[in-house]
């Protein structure tokens, strides 16, 4: 090769190893391993953290084979649209085979992070018993386990530092999983059980908090009452991150006064969430904490009025991340714009999904935020209406967006002022925000918006499309233009075979493509699968009779209801259920 | 709710069984409806599965604090009951719960066949105030739009049973 490489080869492997230690990002490590065989070899023996964005792109055997020193694994399972009920239950994404394989190979697993995977109690039990140094379990949007599985983790993982359960569907057996942490367990740094439905033994909780002096992050569920929160805060004033359980009490009571005092003593809290049940009149207790907060999540707090929210936010001058409900209103967003000058990420969730919609937030709120918050770079905004003019202004005010997700409650609503499609507005966003990596569009949109996206969104990695576009051209603009595209998910849009088949090689440069209720036919999917053996092309049918029956019914000219394709090194998966047909 | 053109909308946006109920040639896509449709903007949000794109976990845990109690009346019963729709994952479970509540059997029969005589016909009132036969739309769509339930009991006259559609006809005349 070149002289540089031969020079590098004079370094003993230990030196390369040491140099690689400084590379922490997965992308850097992946890049380094492509340089040459010897770098590949050194890198693979030194890699301890692995991230797998699609659990079906590889298999456990290949993972273990390549990275024998694996200590920390991060896996993602179901496609993103599973969050919205578009993927049938039992589609897949089970973690058990991974845990089983790592246990058999005596991998020294210390950390496991899973997203959208199916986690059984058996998996958790096996995990708890197989890895003596296990330290951290983070489960995000997973399902399939009960509190019995959690009990196994609590009982067996002697050095557990982190148990973080975010938004999982857990069958709460109302057992005493929390009491299963032995008295000898003092290592917990982070405990988040906010998503659990059942009661926990509060005495055990208090004792656990008291003996874990390194506890930094604690998020309670809604069954933990305010009285207990107060006692916990007295024991753990060192917390950085607090998720309150229930936050309702008589504000004239002694308990409330004690809580206020306990909170005044918590000088380290930087992140606050919870309020899963809240009395607005109790909120002033948190004002002293607000001044140092950098993250605030009130998106699960029911029934707070706009003025109560505004009063709270008025104290949050250092906030960088804010998640809130649209009950805050445009006016409340105005308060955010005036107060939160450090704001980087804002998420505004809808409070009233099924009702008439009280025009809770509109384009005005978004414009105000963009004008007032110069550091804004990430937004998720559910709104009643939007205009091109507003989006153009936002684009001018905030050229630094890396994530921009807009969801109009009516998926095809046009510009509220001009009745035109919202093409120009989103076009302005992609043109102005040169660093945009994630985009979700909504509202009435033609092929034009995709022309703009293909032309300008050079860094775009993930794009979500729903009820948009006029023809195959739309999808083609995106596939041809967005060189860095990794994930494309499309629903209810008129893109068909011509777009799907125009550049089949493109899909090997991407993680996955989802298309549902579009115009692609079975025949085209078959063609794609045949030409591209390193893709799995899955047809997901709703028919309970199974894909067998579905196969018999569907002819090549029929449209496919749901297609999910992804690149893979290991061929069709062996655990696909009946209703998933890998072509 | 739109009739006619809206009917195509309803069929297409759901997680329905493919092929069996709708002729392949008649399968239309939502946007085709939109193109011709004057009220393009009038898509009811609650007719579209998975829109707005709020995660299932968040839906279940933010709204109504995770519970959805609706009244259930049974013809002939002296008082009404309440049932929490979030406690059930589908129609089968709901029907079983109703049967337990009222101490009877066979409420689910009307959901299965189409030309039989039933003793019970379970119906619900949706957000638009229309009375609908239970079981036509995917469970989630139903749970999102159901305001209350009613179990109608047929009354035999001349030994002739009533069909579900006759009962519904009678009901809409009442309203």
């Amino acid at each position: 090769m070149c002289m540089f490489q031969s020079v590098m080869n004079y370094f003993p492997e230990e030196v390369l190893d040491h140099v690689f230690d400084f590379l922490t990002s997965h992308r850097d490590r992946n890049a380094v391993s492509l340089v040459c065989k010897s770098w590949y070899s050194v890198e693979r023996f030194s890699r301890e953290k692995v991230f797998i964005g699609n659990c079906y792109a590889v298999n456990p055997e290949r993972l273990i084979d390549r990275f024998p020193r694996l200590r920390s694994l991060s896996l993602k399972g179901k496609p993103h649209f599973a969050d919205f009920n578009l993927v049938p239950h039992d589609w897949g994404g089970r973690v058990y085979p991974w845990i089983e394989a790592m246990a058999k190979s005596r991998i020294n697993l210390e950390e496991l992070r899973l997203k959208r995977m199916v986690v059984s109690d058996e998996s958790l039990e096996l995990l708890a018993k197989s890895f003596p140094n296990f330290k951290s379990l983070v489960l995000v949007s997973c399902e399939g386990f009960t509190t019995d599985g959690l009990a196994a983790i609590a009982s067996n993982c002697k050095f557990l530092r982190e148990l973080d359960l975010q938004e999982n569907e857990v069958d709460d057996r109302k057992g005493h999983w929390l009491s299963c942490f032995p008295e000898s367990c003092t290592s917990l740094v982070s405990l988040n059980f906010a998503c659990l439905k059942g009661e926990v033994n509060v005495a055990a909780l208090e004792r656990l908090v008291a003996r874990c002096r390194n506890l930094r992050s604690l998020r309670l569920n809604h069954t933990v009452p305010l009285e207990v929160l107060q006692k916990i805060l007295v024991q753990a004033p060192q917390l950085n991150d607090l998720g309150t359980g229930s936050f309702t009490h008589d504000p004239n009571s002694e308990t409330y006064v004690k809580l206020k005092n306990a909170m005044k003593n918590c000088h380290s809290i930087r992140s606050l969430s919870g309020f899963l049940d809240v009395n607005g009149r109790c909120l002033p207790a948190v004002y002293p904490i607000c001044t140092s907060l950098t993250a605030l999540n009130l998106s699960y707090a029911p029934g707070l009025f706009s003025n109560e929210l505004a009063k709270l936010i008025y104290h949050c001058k250092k906030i960088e991340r804010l998640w809130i409900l649209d009950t805050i209103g445009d006016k409340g967003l105005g308060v955010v714009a005036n107060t939160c000058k450090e704001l980087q990420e804002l998420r505004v969730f809808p409070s009233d999904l099924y009702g008439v919609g009280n025009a809770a937030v509109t384009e005005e709120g978004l414009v105000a935020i963009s004008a007032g918050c110069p550091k804004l770079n990430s937004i998720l905004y559910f709104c009643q209406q939007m205009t091109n003019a507003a989006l153009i202004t936002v684009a001018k005010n905030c050229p630094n967006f890396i994530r921009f997700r807009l969801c109009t409650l009516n998926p095809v609503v046009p510009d509220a002022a001009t009745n035109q499609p919202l093409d120009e507005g989103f076009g302005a966003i992609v043109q102005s925000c040169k660093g945009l990596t994630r985009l979700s569009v909504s509202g009435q949109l033609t092929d034009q918006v995709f022309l703009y996206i293909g032309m300008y969104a050079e860094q775009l990695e993930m794009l979500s499309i729903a009820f948009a576009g006029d023809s195959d051209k739309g999808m083609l603009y995106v596939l041809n233009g967005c060189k860095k595209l990794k994930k494309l998910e499309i629903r209810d849009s008129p893109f068909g075979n011509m777009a799907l088949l125009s550049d089949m090689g493109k899909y090997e440069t991407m993680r996955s493509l989802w298309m549902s209720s579009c115009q692609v036919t079975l025949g085209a999917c078959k063609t794609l699968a045949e030409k591209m053996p390193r893709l799995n092309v899955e047809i997901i049918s709703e028919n309970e009779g199974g894909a067998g029956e579905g196969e018999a019914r569907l002819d090549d000219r029929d449209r496919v209801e749901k297609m999910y394709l992804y690149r893979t090194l290991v061929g069709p998966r062996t655990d696909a259920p009946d209703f998933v047909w890998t072509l | 709710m739109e009739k006619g053109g809206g009917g195509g909308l309803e069929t297409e946006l759901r997680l329905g069984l493919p092929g069996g109920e709708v002729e392949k040639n008649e399968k239309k896509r939502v946007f085709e409806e939109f193109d011709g449709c004057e009220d393009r903007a009038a898509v009811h949000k609650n007719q579209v599965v998975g829109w707005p794109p709020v995660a299932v976990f968040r839906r279940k845990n933010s709204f109504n604090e995770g519970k959805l109690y609706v009244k259930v009346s049974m013809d002939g019963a002296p008082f009404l009951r309440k049932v929490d729709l979030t406690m059930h994952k589908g129609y089968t479970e709901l029907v079983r719960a109703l049967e337990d509540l009222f101490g009877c059997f066979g409420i689910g029969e009307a959901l299965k066949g189409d030309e039989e005589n039933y003793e019970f016909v379970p119906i619900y009132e949706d957000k638009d105030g229309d009375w609908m036969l239970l079981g036509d739309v995917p469970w989630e769509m139903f749970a999102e739009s159901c305001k209350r339930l009613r179990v109608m009991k047929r009354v035999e006259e001349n030994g002739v049973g009533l069909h579900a559609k006759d009962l519904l006809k009678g009901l809409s005349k009442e309203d």
Side-chain angles (χ1 to χ4, degrees):
Chain A
M1 234 181 250
C2 65
M3 190 166 62
F4 173 70
Q5 196 207 309
S6 30
V7 165
M8 285 307 293
N9 281 344
Y10 277 127
F11 288 123
E13 290 191 348
E14 292 78 22
V15 175
L16 278 179
D17 199 300
H18 183 65
V19 171
F20 292 167
D21 270 350
F22 292 99
L23 298 174
T24 47
S25 102
H26 300 292
R27 289 183 190 203
D28 287 343
R29 282 206 160 242
N30 291 343
V32 140
S33 60
L34 291 176
V35 168
C36 63
K37 285 198 179 128
S38 85
W39 281 36
Y40 177 91
S41 177
V42 174
E43 198 282 318
R44 71 178 256 255
F45 283 111
S46 69
R47 176 127 45 153
E48 294 182 346
K49 285 195 177 165
V50 177
F51 167 77
I52 296 175
N54 173 6
C55 64
Y56 291 119
V58 291
N59 62 23
E61 289 69 40
R62 288 184 73 123
L63 168 72
I64 294 167
D65 202 51
R66 182 170 169 193
F67 300 116
R69 300 259 292 274
L70 179 66
R71 290 210 201 174
S72 165
L73 177 63
S74 185
L75 274 173
K76 290 186 172 181
K78 299 184 200 176
H80 175 233
F81 275 178
D83 282 355
F84 316 126
N85 268 335
L86 293 182
V87 176
H89 197 50
D90 290 346
W91 170 84
R94 289 166 51 244
V95 74
Y96 188 86
W98 295 85
I99 296 177
E100 188 184 30
M102 288 188 287
K104 277 211 184 97
S105 301
R106 298 177 179 283
I107 292 287
N108 183 15
L109 192 69
E110 293 182 8
E111 295 175 3
L112 186 62
R113 187 191 169 103
L114 305 175
K115 186 165 185 181
R116 280 188 215 102
M117 294 204 66
V118 176
V119 181
S120 60
D121 282 347
E122 288 71 30
S123 313
L124 292 176
E125 280 156 30
L126 186 59
L127 178 71
K129 296 191 177 139
S130 309
F131 307 107
N133 294 319
F134 193 74
K135 294 193 173 68
S136 162
L137 180 63
V138 180
L139 302 178
V140 181
S141 302
C142 296
E143 51 160 347
F145 61 103
T146 77
T147 44
D148 291 349
L150 298 178
I153 297 284
S155 310
N156 294 294
C157 300
K158 295 200 177 68
F159 304 112
L160 194 70
R161 289 204 204 138
E162 181 171 29
L163 178 59
D164 184 359
L165 307 171
Q166 298 176 29
E167 306 194 337
N168 303 289
E169 293 287 342
V170 186
D171 188 0
D172 201 314
R173 296 266 162 93
K174 300 183 181 15
H176 297 286
W177 67 274
L178 196 78
S179 317
C180 291
F181 282 106
E183 291 302 315
S184 55
C185 170
T186 57
S187 50
L188 273 183
V189 172
S190 167
L191 177 62
N192 172 6
F193 61 94
C195 64
L196 296 186
K197 295 284 169 290
E199 287 183 7
V200 294
N201 181 328
V202 293
L205 174 63
E206 287 172 40
R207 282 198 309 273
L208 182 64
V209 170
R211 66 180 184 270
C212 293
R213 303 314 310 157
N214 292 324
L215 193 67
R216 289 283 173 274
S217 168
L218 179 64
R219 297 189 186 194
L220 310 169
N221 75 357
H222 75 102
T223 67
V224 180
L226 196 132
E227 309 85 86
V228 175
L229 173 64
Q230 178 264 317
K231 290 195 211 151
I232 286 177
L233 290 180
V234 169
Q235 286 292 346
Q238 79 280 7
L239 288 176
N240 288 144
D241 167 33
L242 174 65
T244 69
S246 158
F247 205 78
T248 145
H249 213 271
D250 175 4
N252 297 317
S253 67
E254 200 189 317
T255 305
Y256 183 71
V257 174
K258 283 200 217 166
L259 175 73
K260 278 211 287 194
N261 292 332
M263 287 202 148
K264 275 198 202 125
N265 224 16
C266 292
H267 303 293
S268 307
I269 296 182
R270 297 286 169 274
S271 165
L272 187 60
S273 61
F275 303 97
L276 305 172
D277 186 12
V278 58
N279 175 349
R281 289 163 62 219
C282 292
L283 283 181
V286 311
Y287 292 169
I289 296 183
C290 289
T291 38
S292 352
L293 276 187
T294 56
L296 177 61
N297 182 355
L298 293 171
S299 65
Y300 285 102
L304 290 173
F305 296 113
S306 173
N307 61 327
E308 289 171 323
L309 291 169
K311 264 205 274 184
L312 181 71
I313 288 173
Y314 179 74
H315 289 90
C316 301
K317 302 212 184 335
K318 299 214 184 113
I319 218 98
E320 296 172 13
R321 197 154 57 89
L322 178 63
W323 291 22
I324 200 127
L325 291 175
D326 63 3
T327 42
I328 191 172
D330 286 332
K331 249 178 89 183
L333 288 178
V335 173
V336 174
N338 289 334
T339 312
C340 308
K341 298 303 180 185
E342 303 297 316
L343 192 65
Q344 295 177 28
E345 174 180 321
L346 176 67
R347 296 194 191 189
V348 181
F349 293 96
S351 56
D352 179 16
L353 281 184
Y354 320 117
V356 183
N358 296 314
V361 297
T362 69
E363 73 277 10
E364 285 180 28
L366 185 60
V367 169
I369 294 281
S370 74
C373 306
K375 300 191 179 175
L376 193 66
N377 62 36
S378 172
I379 189 148
L380 170 62
Y381 197 74
F382 284 85
C383 56
Q384 184 74 8
Q385 65 183 50
M386 187 47 56
T387 65
N388 285 307
L391 286 174
I392 290 169
T393 305
V394 169
K396 236 187 289 197
N397 291 340
C398 290
N400 298 319
F401 276 120
I402 47 179
R403 283 183 292 273
F404 190 88
R405 293 193 280 167
L406 191 83
C407 297
T408 53
L409 294 176
N410 175 334
V412 292
V413 73
D415 179 318
T418 65
N419 235 33
Q420 292 300 301
L422 290 174
D423 300 334
E424 298 306 311
F426 282 107
I429 294 286
V430 293
Q431 198 176 351
S432 166
C433 304
K434 310 237 189 291
L436 196 68
T437 58
R438 184 169 181 184
L439 177 65
S440 296
V441 295
S442 63
Q444 188 188 328
L445 296 165
T446 71
D447 284 345
Q448 185 71 9
V449 72
F450 300 113
L451 174 68
Y452 291 140
I453 292 173
M455 227 194 309
Y456 296 113
E458 291 174 6
Q459 304 300 322
L460 197 65
E461 295 178 6
M462 183 169 178
L463 178 62
S464 308
I465 299 171
F467 301 97
D470 306 311
S471 74
D472 282 333
K473 283 205 266 179
M475 185 169 164
L476 281 173
Y477 291 138
V478 171
L479 291 175
N480 293 334
C482 299
K483 301 295 178 205
K484 300 213 174 160
L485 197 61
K486 292 258 159 309
K487 289 189 281 184
L488 180 57
E489 46 186 28
I490 306 173
R491 62 166 292 187
D492 294 277
S493 300
F495 306 136
N497 299 340
M498 206 259 282
L500 182 70
L501 298 178
S502 67
D503 179 6
M504 293 188 264
K506 171 86 177 169
Y507 307 125
E508 278 191 5
T509 69
M510 292 168 56
R511 186 185 297 171
S512 64
L513 168 67
W514 168 282
M515 291 181 78
S516 60
S517 304
C518 296
Q519 305 262 36
V520 293
T521 66
L522 180 60
C525 294
K526 282 183 179 170
T527 305
L528 181 57
E530 203 185 294
K531 297 259 165 70
M532 306 294 300
R534 284 190 299 200
L535 297 179
N536 279 349
V537 180
E538 292 188 6
I539 307 300
I540 300 168
S541 114
E542 295 302 325
N543 191 343
E544 282 180 358
E549 223 179 286
E551 283 172 41
R553 283 178 174 195
L554 280 185
D555 131 335
D556 283 3
R557 291 163 302 164
D558 289 330
R559 274 185 281 236
V560 153
E561 196 45 51
K562 295 180 187 189
M563 180 205 71
Y564 179 53
L565 67 81
Y566 50 90
R567 67 180 173 194
T568 178
L569 296 174
V570 293
R573 56 186 173 112
T574 51
D575 65 351
D578 274 344
F579 55 82
V580 172
W581 178 18
T582 306
L583 298 175
Chain B
M1 193 169 338
E2 292 178 35
K3 312 272 187 273
L9 262 177
E10 287 166 47
T11 332
E12 283 321 299
L13 296 177
R14 65 174 169 166
L15 290 174
L17 302 175
E21 288 155 79
V22 177
E23 279 294 2
K24 287 171 198 178
N25 303 337
E26 285 167 16
K27 256 191 173 181
K28 285 184 268 197
R29 296 287 96 170
V30 170
F31 39 83
E32 286 177 39
E33 286 299 315
F34 290 167
D35 276 345
C37 190
E38 285 132 87
D39 325 9
R40 183 175 173 136
V43 174
H44 285 282
K45 23 191 192 254
N46 60 7
Q47 283 190 350
V48 182
V49 175
W51 195 272
V54 172
V56 170
F57 179 87
R58 186 174 283 280
R59 276 176 192 261
K60 284 189 191 162
N61 290 283
S62 316
F63 311 101
N64 306 316
E65 278 129 56
K67 294 210 176 301
L68 199 62
Y69 279 103
V70 294
K71 290 185 190 171
V72 192
S73 59
M74 158 89 81
D75 290 357
F79 45 79
L80 280 61
R81 303 298 300 270
K82 267 206 162 167
V83 67
D84 176 7
L85 294 182
T86 60
M87 289 304 292
H88 307 290
K89 294 199 187 102
Y91 291 115
T92 325
E93 284 185 31
L94 173 64
V95 160
R96 211 175 301 141
L98 294 179
E99 288 172 348
D100 280 342
L101 274 181
F102 292 108
C104 60
F105 177 72
I107 294 181
E109 295 304 305
L111 306 188
K112 293 182 191 162
D114 40 3
E115 287 308 311
E116 303 296 316
N117 300 330
Y118 314 109
E119 197 182 346
F120 301 108
V121 181
I123 56 178
Y124 68 99
E125 184 181 6
D126 74 359
K127 292 274 172 191
D128 298 318
D130 295 320
W131 285 94
M132 317 289 296
L133 181 66
L134 203 69
D136 282 339
V137 298
W139 172 258
E140 289 83 9
M141 197 183 284
F142 156 73
E144 287 168 18
S145 59
C146 172
K147 275 175 39 192
R148 63 186 156 123
L149 285 158
R150 176 174 168 184
V151 182
M152 299 184 80
K153 238 171 133 163
R154 81 173 157 88
V155 174
E156 271 199 67
E157 291 167 7
N158 313 325
V160 173
L162 292 174
H163 291 242
K165 49 185 197 281
D166 297 326
L167 284 170
L168 283 175
K169 247 192 277 183
L171 190 60
S172 56
K173 279 199 203 116
E174 280 168 30
D175 291 16

